[in-house]
């Protein structure tokens, strides 16, 4: 080592690399080269024991007397405590200042909770399932079965509803087809009557009816019925439009969608309703002023004129209302089925009002003929025009019925598709419920069977992992503290209580300065693979070439992030501060420094040469009676000498390593005999675990 220390780190690594390559080639020649003789082995053993272990970065540096050291936090945060003031003396190990540790203390509490949960889980696994756990699992199975039954019943109901709905549509379609046939027959009759009227127009009609009293009575009776029908039509329209106080809120859920494509139609419809309502009120008033048997011809004519205007307004209301509905936007609160239903209502208002208007006009014409002989000559022409209007109205009604039939047929198809989608969704729900039942049943079976050895082992590993995590978090609290690396005097403090410490920018870093005439800084270089392992404040062990029997302690005081390029090798300069005490240490002395990057006390350890890593797994040969059993282990800190064992073996277990001692009658030699399972005896070619050669 003294020979190597005289060279730079780069040259040291080159020498070590050459030696490793030479040894590797020699090892290959000795242990893997084919030969006519075999290999015998002897057994080396060690015992798993508790001890201390650490892993370090090793560097060689040069000392310098500096008398003062700048201390800085390695962690950002708010300054919570300052235990010394400028001019105070401190002892090595004193905590001089501390950042707010709320977050790290919360992390510690969380890790303690996690560890407690892992311990509780292991305890429950070892204890096994309680009667309550099994009962709950059985209830889960029963609940899953019940849910499947309900879903299957719902599926049957969906099929039943679909069949009923399709039957209902079929009945409506048949009824509409019959209605179309009836309207077609009526239209044919009216067309035939129109032809007859046209043939007889020039011959004159002599029997128009001369009983004026009878005609007036009939007109009053018909007027009363027409007013009732008009009142019903206006109320039906009001329920849709929501104009009157009684119905004002009924269309709140869809008003914004009604006639949204053409708002003018909506206003026209509402105006038509208002106009027809006013005329209806006038007609009611006029009706109250006449009575059956009355000879008030003028009053009846005035009533009929008002009725004609009202029925005409209702016809316009029906047509505009139908168009307004067809200009509506479909939504969840205003579905197409509702729009179609309301459109049918307005269409019905149009048809019935047209019929009533035709009847009123006929009555007006008859009264005019009876009361004015000069009109008798024109009655035939009026009758002909009325019949033509009736034929036109019947054509419109027939076309509307045909449109209604097409819509019913489309609705039937849409309804069938909707129910089919519901059935597919129900089938998916049933499949999911069956999967839940399988999971619940499997969980119940596992509870009854109890925990497996694998589950127990995993639970133990969780506890070990939790203990390690808790230890790491507790160790991390030192990052929030400034610890005096030696005895000295606080010369200057750059920060005060409440300051936010920043570590990312060198121009804003706040320091605490300590004076000490015994302060020594050792300057060394590390490569880019090792510098990332170092942090300010890490402990270091120092041995000077001039004092090879003494080990000094120090801390990393500076890490310069500016790289240095030498012969293509990138290195970084670091400094380690120490107190030399009364020892005659001077500037320029060489020292070997071990910077501790991780350490663990009172933990299970075994020699590193007894541990093998292969195919992503780590194992040892554990002695079990007369056999050597390959045992998987979980490892922690490792260095060339020892390796920490977290789980897999226990304190006091004997661990075996096989070492070649001579040759036998085999055709190929190896450091460790190949094969699996266990080995027996101390010599010969028994099956081992393919372990790497150790020291």
């Amino acid at each position: 080592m003294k020979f190597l220390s005289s060279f730079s780190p780069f040259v040291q690594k080159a020498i070590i690399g050459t030696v490793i390559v030479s040894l590797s080639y020699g090892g290959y020649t000795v242990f893997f080269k084919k030969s006519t003789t075999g290999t015998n082995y002897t057994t080396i053993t060690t015992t798993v024991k508790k001890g201390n272990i650490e892993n370090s970065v090793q560097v060689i540096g040069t000392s310098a007397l500096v008398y003062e050291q700048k201390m800085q936090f390695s962690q950002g945060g708010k300054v919570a405590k300052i235990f010394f003031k400028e001019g105070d003396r401190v002892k090595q190990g004193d905590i001089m200042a501390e950042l707010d540790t709320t977050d790290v203390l919360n992390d510690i509490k969380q890790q303690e909770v996690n560890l407690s949960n892992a311990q509780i889980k292991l305890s429950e696994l070892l204890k096994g399932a309680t009667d309550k756990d099994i009962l709950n699992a059985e209830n889960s199975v029963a609940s899953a079965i019940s849910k499947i039954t309900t879903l299957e019943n719902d599926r049957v109901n969906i099929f039943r509803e679909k069949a009923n709905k399709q039957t209902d549509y079929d009945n409506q379609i048949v009824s509409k087809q019959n209605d179309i046939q009836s309207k077609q027959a009526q239209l044919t009759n009216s067309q035939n009557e129109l032809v007859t009227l046209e043939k007889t127009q020039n011959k004159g009609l002599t029997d128009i009816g001369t009983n004026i009293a009878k005609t007036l009575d009939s007109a009053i009776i018909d007027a009363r019925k027409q007013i009732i029908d008009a009142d019903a039509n206006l109320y039906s329209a009001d329920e849709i439009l929501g104009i009157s106080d009684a119905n004002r809120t009924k269309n709140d859920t869809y008003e914004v969608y009604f006639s949204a494509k053409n708002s003018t139609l909506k206003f026209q419809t509402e105006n038509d309703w208002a106009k027809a309502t006013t005329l209806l009120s006038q007609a009611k008033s006029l009706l109250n002023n006449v009575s059956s048997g009355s000879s008030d011809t003028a009053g009846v004519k005035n009533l009929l004129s008002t009725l004609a205007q009202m029925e005409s307004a209702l016809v316009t209301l029906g047509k505009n209302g139908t168009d307004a509905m067809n200009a509506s936007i479909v939504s969840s609160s205003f579905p197409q089925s509702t729009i179609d239903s309301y459109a049918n209502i307005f269409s019905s208002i149009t048809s019935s009002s047209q019929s009533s208007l035709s009847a009123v006009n006929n009555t007006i014409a008859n009264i005019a003929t009876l009361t004015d002989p000069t009109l008798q000559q024109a009655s035939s022409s009026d009758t002909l025009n009325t019949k033509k209007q009736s034929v036109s109205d019947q054509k419109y009604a027939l076309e509307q019925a045909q449109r209604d039939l097409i819509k019913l047929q489309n609705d039937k198809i849409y309804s069938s598709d909707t129910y089919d989608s519901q059935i597919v969704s129900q089938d998916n729900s049933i499949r999911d419920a069956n999967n839940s039942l399988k999971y619940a049943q499997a969980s119940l079976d596992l509870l009854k069977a109890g925990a497996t050895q694998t589950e127990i082992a995993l639970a133990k590993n969780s506890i070990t992992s939790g203990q390690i995590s808790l230890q790491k978090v507790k160790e991390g609290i030192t990052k929030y503290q400034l610890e005096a690396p030696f005895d000295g005097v606080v010369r200057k403090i750059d920060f005060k209580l409440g300051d936010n410490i920043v570590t990312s920018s060198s121009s804003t870093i706040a320091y605490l300065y300590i004076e000490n005439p015994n302060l020594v800084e050792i300057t060394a270089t590390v490569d880019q693979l090792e510098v990332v392992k170092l942090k300010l404040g890490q402990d270091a062990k120092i041995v000077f070439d001039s004092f090879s029997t003494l080990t000094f302690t120090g801390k990393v005081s500076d890490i310069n992030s500016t790289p240095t390029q030498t012969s293509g090798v990138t290195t970084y300069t670091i400094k380690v501060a120490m107190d030399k005490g009364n020892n005659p240490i001077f500037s320029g002395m060489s020292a070997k420094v071990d910077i501790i990057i991780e350490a663990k006390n009172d933990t299970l350890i075994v020699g590193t040469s007894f541990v093998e890593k292969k195919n992503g797994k780590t194992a040892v040969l554990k002695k079990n009676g007369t056999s050597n059993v390959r045992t998987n282990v979980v490892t922690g800190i490792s260095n060339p000498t020892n390796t920490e064992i977290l789980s897999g073996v226990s304190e006091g277990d004997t661990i075996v390593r096989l070492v070649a001692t001579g040759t036998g009658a085999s055709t190929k030699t190896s450091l460790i005999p190949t094969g699996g399972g266990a080995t027996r005896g101390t010599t010969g070619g028994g099956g081992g675990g393919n372990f790497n050669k150790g020291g």
Side-chain angles (χ1 to χ4, degrees):
M1 292 300 293
K2 291 183 178 179
F3 167 74
L4 287 175
S5 65
S6 62
F7 295 93
S8 68
F10 172 74
V11 176
Q12 293 176 35
K13 291 181 179 180
I15 294 173
I16 293 172
T18 304
V19 172
I20 290 173
V21 171
S22 300
L23 291 175
S24 298
Y25 177 77
Y28 171 82
T29 304
V30 172
F31 299 118
F32 295 101
K33 188 175 180 180
K34 288 196 173 184
S35 171
T36 57
T37 60
T39 304
N40 293 324
Y41 301 91
T42 187
T43 300
I44 298 177
T45 63
T46 189
T47 302
V48 180
K49 59 184 179 182
K50 284 194 173 182
N52 302 333
I53 186 171
E54 59 188 29
N55 195 6
S56 64
V57 172
Q58 298 178 344
V59 297
I60 296 176
T62 302
S63 64
L65 298 176
V66 292
Y67 302 107
E68 181 180 83
Q69 181 174 349
K70 295 189 299 183
M71 302 290 295
Q72 71 178 84
F73 287 104
S74 60
Q75 172 76 32
K78 181 180 289 186
V79 178
K81 297 176 183 178
I82 300 176
F83 298 101
F84 296 90
K85 62 181 181 297
E86 294 177 358
D88 285 351
R89 286 191 169 276
V90 295
K91 295 287 186 180
Q92 182 178 0
D94 284 346
I95 303 301
M96 299 178 292
E98 186 176 84
L99 298 177
D100 184 1
T101 58
T102 301
D103 290 340
V104 72
L105 291 177
N106 288 337
D107 289 342
I108 290 173
K109 290 179 181 178
Q110 183 61 55
Q111 292 299 332
E112 288 174 343
V113 170
N114 294 342
L115 177 59
S116 177
N117 290 339
Q119 292 168 336
I120 292 172
K121 182 176 181 180
L122 175 61
S123 176
E124 290 177 347
L125 287 174
L126 295 174
K127 183 171 58 177
T130 63
D131 292 340
K132 181 180 179 180
D133 293 333
I134 293 176
L135 179 60
N136 288 337
E138 289 174 342
N139 289 338
S140 296
V141 172
S143 176
I145 294 173
S146 175
K147 183 177 181 180
I148 291 172
T149 302
T150 300
L151 289 171
E152 289 176 340
N153 290 336
D154 290 344
R155 186 176 186 274
V156 172
N157 290 334
I158 292 173
F159 272 106
R160 186 182 295 113
E161 289 176 6
K162 177 185 177 183
N164 293 338
K165 195 69 173 178
Q166 292 295 294
T167 300
D168 181 55
Y169 274 116
D170 288 337
N171 292 335
Q172 291 185 58
I173 289 171
V174 171
S175 175
K176 185 59 67 175
Q177 289 171 336
N178 293 335
D179 183 46
I180 289 173
Q181 292 177 357
S182 174
K183 283 182 168 56
Q184 182 66 61
Q186 292 175 6
L187 177 61
T188 301
N189 291 334
S190 295
Q191 289 171 333
N192 292 335
E193 291 174 358
L194 179 61
V195 172
T196 301
L197 285 174
E198 288 174 340
K199 290 180 180 179
T200 61
Q201 181 179 16
N202 295 328
K203 295 180 179 180
L205 299 175
T206 59
D207 189 12
I208 300 174
T210 59
N211 193 341
I212 184 63
K214 182 178 179 180
T215 301
L216 292 177
D217 285 345
S218 176
I220 293 172
I221 294 170
D222 290 343
R224 185 174 288 107
K225 180 180 181 302
Q226 289 160 355
I227 286 174
I228 293 172
D229 291 343
D231 211 350
N233 283 337
L234 285 170
Y235 185 80
S236 297
D238 186 29
E239 284 190 312
I240 298 172
L241 299 175
I243 298 176
S244 69
D245 292 338
N247 296 317
R248 191 169 302 279
T249 61
K250 288 190 176 181
N251 67 343
D252 286 351
T253 59
Y254 61 80
E255 184 175 13
V256 69
Y257 306 107
F258 170 52
S259 194
K261 299 177 182 177
N262 189 341
S263 59
T264 301
L265 286 173
K266 177 183 177 184
F267 297 138
Q268 289 177 347
T269 304
E270 292 173 346
N271 291 334
D272 293 338
W273 183 90
K275 179 179 179 181
T277 300
T278 300
L279 290 170
L280 174 62
S281 178
Q282 295 174 3
K284 287 180 179 179
S285 177
L286 293 171
L287 179 63
N288 290 333
N289 294 328
V290 296
S291 60
S292 299
S294 173
S295 60
D296 184 6
T297 304
V300 173
K301 283 185 176 181
N302 195 14
L303 170 63
L304 293 177
S305 176
T306 302
L307 286 177
Q309 296 177 56
M310 178 193 72
E311 296 294 353
S312 178
L314 285 171
V315 169
T316 304
L317 169 65
K319 290 181 178 180
N320 286 337
T322 302
D323 294 339
M325 278 300 160
N326 292 331
S328 298
I329 294 177
V330 177
S331 70
S332 59
S333 60
F334 202 33
Q336 187 64 49
S337 59
T338 300
I339 294 173
D340 293 340
S341 174
Y342 289 171
N344 288 335
I345 290 174
F346 280 112
S347 177
S348 175
I349 291 173
T350 301
S351 299
S352 64
S353 299
Q354 283 176 332
S355 297
S356 297
L357 177 61
S358 178
V360 170
N361 287 332
N362 285 338
T363 302
I364 292 173
N366 286 337
I367 293 174
T369 301
L370 292 172
T371 58
D372 188 355
T374 60
L375 295 177
Q376 293 181 7
Q377 299 296 326
S379 63
S380 176
S381 177
D382 290 342
T383 302
L384 180 62
N385 291 335
T386 301
K387 182 58 68 176
K388 288 181 179 180
Q389 181 63 43
S390 177
V391 169
S392 176
D393 292 343
Q394 289 176 8
K395 282 183 177 180
Y396 177 84
L398 175 61
E399 291 170 354
Q400 182 62 46
Q402 290 170 336
R403 288 193 292 269
D404 292 343
L405 174 62
I406 293 173
K407 183 180 181 307
L408 280 172
Q409 292 169 335
N410 291 334
D411 288 348
K412 177 184 176 183
I413 295 172
Y414 176 79
S415 175
S416 177
D417 292 342
T418 300
Y419 278 109
D420 288 342
S421 298
Q422 293 180 17
I423 291 169
V424 171
S425 176
Q426 199 71 7
D427 289 340
N428 292 335
S429 297
I430 291 173
R431 183 181 64 251
D432 293 341
N434 278 312
N435 291 336
S436 297
L437 174 60
K438 291 177 182 178
Y439 177 81
Q441 186 63 56
S443 299
L444 175 60
D445 294 341
L446 288 174
L447 282 176
K448 289 182 176 180
T452 65
Q453 291 301 314
T454 299
E455 290 174 330
I456 293 174
L458 289 174
K460 289 181 178 179
N461 289 345
S462 295
I463 291 176
T464 301
S465 177
Q467 291 170 336
I468 294 170
S469 298
L470 177 59
Q471 181 63 30
K472 286 184 177 179
V473 174
K474 286 183 176 179
E475 292 172 353
I477 202 169
T478 59
K479 297 179 182 179
Y480 293 77
Q481 300 172 335
L482 277 185
E483 179 182 335
F486 45 74
D487 295 349
V489 176
V490 177
R491 185 181 69 81
K492 180 183 177 184
I493 302 176
D494 287 343
F495 50 81
K496 60 182 181 299
L497 288 177
D499 282 356
N500 284 316
I501 299 301
V502 179
T503 61
S504 59
S505 174
S506 60
S507 62
T508 59
I509 293 177
Y511 295 97
L512 186 152
Y513 299 81
I514 303 178
E515 290 181 342
N516 185 350
N518 294 325
L519 179 62
V520 175
E521 272 191 345
I522 300 170
T523 302
T525 58
V526 295
D527 64 23
Q528 58 186 329
L529 297 179
E530 294 176 332
V531 72
V532 295
K533 302 176 185 178
L534 303 183
K535 297 178 182 178
L536 293 176
Q538 285 176 327
D539 292 327
K541 295 180 180 180
I542 306 161
V543 177
F544 285 91
D545 291 348
S546 303
F547 302 95
S548 59
T549 60
L550 294 179
T551 300
F552 297 88
T553 60
K555 291 182 179 294
V556 177
S557 59
D558 185 61
I559 301 174
N560 191 337
S561 60
T562 303
T564 300
Q565 297 282 344
T566 304
S567 301
V569 177
T570 300
T571 59
Y572 297 84
T573 302
I574 67 167
K575 292 182 180 180
V576 176
M578 59 163 281
D579 188 331
K580 69 183 181 66
N582 296 323
N583 296 287
I585 296 175
F586 306 105
S587 296
M589 288 186 173
S590 296
K592 291 175 288 185
V593 182
D594 286 345
I595 301 172
I596 312 303
I597 59 174
E598 54 182 344
K600 190 75 72 66
N601 296 329
D602 197 29
T603 186
L604 291 181
I605 58 175
V606 71
T608 299
S609 62
F610 289 82
V611 180
E612 176 201 29
K613 292 184 178 180
K614 183 178 181 182
N615 297 329
K617 294 183 178 181
T618 304
V620 297
L621 277 181
K622 176 182 173 182
K623 190 171 183 62
N624 186 13
T626 59
S627 300
N628 299 325
V629 179
R630 178 187 178 87
T631 304
N632 290 332
V633 294
V634 178
T635 61
I637 299 173
S638 180
N639 59 39
T641 304
N642 291 316
T643 295
E644 178 187 14
I645 303 296
L646 300 179
S647 64
V649 295
S650 303
E651 184 178 6
D653 286 346
T654 300
I655 307 303
V656 177
R657 179 164 61 89
L658 304 180
V659 178
T661 58
T663 58
S666 176
T667 60
K668 183 178 180 180
T669 63
S670 174
L671 175 62
I672 302 296
T674 59
T679 61
R680 298 179 183 272
T682 58
T683 60
N690 260 352
F691 277 57
N692 298 328
K693 182 179 180 182

